[in-house]
Amino acid sequence: MNFSHFIISLLSIVNEMSPYILLGFLIAGFLHVFVKPSMMSRHLSGHGWKPVFKAAMLGIPLPLCSCGVLPTAVSLRRQGASKGASTSFLIATPQTGVDSIAATYSLLGLPFAIIRPVAALVGAMMGGLAVNKFDKSTEQVQTLAEESDCCSVESSESLSMRQKLIESVRYGLVDMVASVGKWLVIGLIVAALITVLVPDNLFISLSKYPLLAMLVMVVVSVPMYICATGSIPIALSLICKGLTPGVGFVLLMAGPAANFASVMILNKSMGRKSTFIYILSVVVTAMMFGLAIDYLLPRHWFMPDAAPAIAGCHVSFGIFETLCSLLLAGLLIYSAFKSKSHKHNHSTENIDNMTKEYQIKGMACAHCRATIEKVISSLPGVSSVTVDLGAGKAIVEGDVAPALIRDAVYNAGFTMDE
């Protein structure tokens, strides 16, 4: 492998994306502080198309991954949102986000950045309306003593405007980076490796059969975990290596929307029928828009401007983009160090008779960890709780029945080993 080619390709992609990623993270921080789930749920109750449409429109800008969106949707259900609206929110949210839309524009261009949220809206509407029509179950979701939504800020109403602004920046540049940083780095490295290692003519034969290529992409992307932002450089590299823009679009939509763990949790919290409709809506919409891109829309709209840059030839780095890349790299290093320190501190705690460990399934990001810590700490008798995200366990100190912890974890959208 040409190591210098790999480094140049990696730096080129990072420089293209970093200003837009940072802007998206900051906007995400303001949404986190100023947009409340309690406000959203008031618009998502009832039946018909309006709650479904509102849920999709509310979910599209939120920067939540397919695992982080589950506790949010469960919380909305507890606050009165309809099942169709909750499904619409589940479909639209992980496929997009202000950060991923901005990053899509930076690497793939304006047409991709426009069509991506439009496709998320259409898929969310299809799925939400289908659930309203075909899933008539009216089971009630249990209410916790304290809401466990991972997108809300505890007691933010009591904060001053200055404190809210500081919290917005802190959440965007610290928590958001910690949440998607791992998968963003993986996506960037995979994209650079594809650029360097994959021969230019490898996908030429497959590109002659876009429908077959899309089916292969669905099979590969749906079970794996990849965030909406991390999928962008991978899609760009595949397009530059010969796959059609429509196939790349299928990866952008199907990859972030679902993974095996989240589907299992969704099956338990929403039911088998709603889960099937959810997956079907994601796949059908991704392929429908992918085929439209390949066969109905001008091809030159979807040829990324960044394509020459990742080839590694005659690359120039602007000062502003370089500074943004350095800032992003610093934030990623800080979040990794903080996470490692967090894990080390938890692993050195002594486990006594009042402290127990619980294995939690379904956690994959900082949102999940914050949700579990919040719902368990709200239970009477709990004096402290710490969550080791890497090990998938919660360390609970206090006098509390395991059944109460299991119920709290389940109602938050996760599962716990018996």
Side-chain angles (χ1 to χ4, degrees):
M1 181 178 71
N2 189 329
F3 186 72
S4 62
H5 188 190
F6 169 78
I7 294 297
I8 292 174
S9 298
L10 180 62
L11 293 178
S12 298
I13 298 173
V14 172
N15 259 29
E16 289 284 343
M17 293 181 67
S18 58
Y20 298 91
I21 290 177
L22 292 174
L23 175 63
F25 283 162
L26 287 173
I27 296 174
F30 284 95
L31 288 174
H32 169 76
V33 171
F34 291 99
V35 179
K36 300 301 176 187
S38 57
M39 178 275 294
M40 292 193 294
S41 63
R42 289 197 298 268
H43 298 277
L44 305 185
S45 59
H47 297 282
W49 66 271
K50 286 185 178 180
V52 174
F53 176 76
K54 290 179 180 179
M57 293 301 293
L58 288 168
I60 284 173
L62 293 179
L64 289 178
C65 58
S66 57
C67 64
V69 72
L70 283 169
T72 311
V74 170
S75 177
L76 292 175
R77 280 282 290 149
R78 287 201 305 269
Q79 297 180 51
S82 68
K83 205 168 188 178
S86 300
T87 302
S88 176
F89 185 83
L90 280 168
I91 294 173
T93 306
Q95 292 181 328
T96 57
V98 288
D99 57 326
S100 62
I101 293 173
T104 301
Y105 170 73
S106 69
L107 278 191
L108 298 175
L110 184 62
F112 269 112
I114 293 175
I115 293 179
R116 193 173 189 182
V118 171
L121 174 62
V122 172
M125 289 291 295
M126 288 173 51
L129 293 175
V131 166
N132 280 342
K133 182 175 178 62
F134 297 108
D135 192 348
K136 301 294 186 180
S137 58
T138 57
E139 71 277 7
Q140 297 296 318
V141 183
Q142 293 179 344
T143 302
L144 297 177
E146 180 176 339
E147 296 301 338
S148 64
D149 176 53
C150 65
C151 287
S152 62
V153 180
E154 186 175 2
S155 302
S156 63
E157 291 82 358
S158 61
L159 300 178
S160 67
M161 180 56 66
R162 178 176 175 273
Q163 290 173 321
K164 287 183 178 181
L165 293 175
I166 293 175
E167 171 61 20
S168 298
V169 174
R170 187 206 63 78
Y171 178 84
L173 298 184
V174 177
D175 289 357
M176 273 299 301
V177 173
S179 179
V180 307
K182 173 183 175 182
W183 305 107
L184 175 60
V185 171
I186 291 174
L188 291 169
I189 293 175
V190 169
L193 288 174
I194 290 173
T195 302
V196 175
L197 298 179
V198 176
D200 291 340
N201 60 355
L202 179 64
F203 292 121
I204 292 179
S205 58
L206 191 59
S207 66
K208 297 178 181 178
Y209 309 97
L211 182 58
L212 175 61
M214 290 178 191
L215 290 172
V216 172
M217 189 62 69
V218 166
V219 172
V220 171
S221 61
V222 167
M224 70 178 182
Y225 183 91
I226 184 171
C227 71
T229 303
S231 66
I232 299 167
I234 300 177
L236 171 65
S237 296
L238 292 174
I239 293 172
C240 292
K241 287 297 180 178
L243 287 179
T244 66
V247 177
F249 187 80
V250 171
L251 171 64
L252 289 177
M253 303 306 293
N259 62 75
F260 184 78
S262 65
V263 168
M264 294 299 99
I265 296 172
L266 183 63
N267 183 59
K268 292 194 68 174
S269 60
M270 295 287 286
R272 185 175 301 174
K273 188 176 293 185
S274 291
T275 302
F276 175 76
I277 294 173
Y278 168 82
I279 297 174
L280 185 65
S281 300
V282 169
V283 172
V284 169
T285 307
M287 294 187 63
M288 181 176 68
F289 275 84
L291 291 171
I293 288 172
D294 283 343
Y295 291 106
L296 301 180
L297 298 175
R299 187 63 171 266
H300 67 272
W301 285 8
F302 302 97
M303 296 312 296
D305 294 334
I310 71 166
C313 301
H314 308 293
V315 179
S316 60
F317 300 118
I319 295 177
F320 176 72
E321 291 81 3
T322 302
L323 291 175
C324 289
S325 297
L326 291 173
L327 175 59
L328 179 61
L331 292 171
L332 289 169
I333 293 171
Y334 172 76
S335 66
F337 177 80
K338 182 180 178 182
S339 176
K340 183 178 180 179
S341 175
H342 185 80
K343 181 177 180 179
H344 174 74
N345 290 337
H346 292 170
S347 64
T348 58
E349 292 178 351
N350 294 323
I351 306 300
D352 54 30
N353 293 333
M354 297 296 291
T355 305
K356 296 182 180 179
E357 291 186 358
Y358 300 91
Q359 287 294 133
I360 311 295
K361 293 182 178 180
M363 298 189 300
C365 66
H367 291 296
C368 305
R369 180 174 61 198
T371 299
I372 293 297
E373 288 180 345
K374 184 175 180 180
V375 297
I376 295 179
S377 63
S378 69
L379 296 174
V382 174
S383 56
S384 70
V385 56
T386 53
V387 174
D388 186 337
L389 186 61
K393 65 182 180 182
I395 303 173
V396 182
E397 182 178 348
D399 185 12
V400 58
L404 292 178
I405 295 179
R406 185 178 298 108
D407 290 342
V409 168
Y410 175 76
N411 286 331
F414 302 89
T415 58
M416 192 174 78
D417 285 348
E418 297 294 334

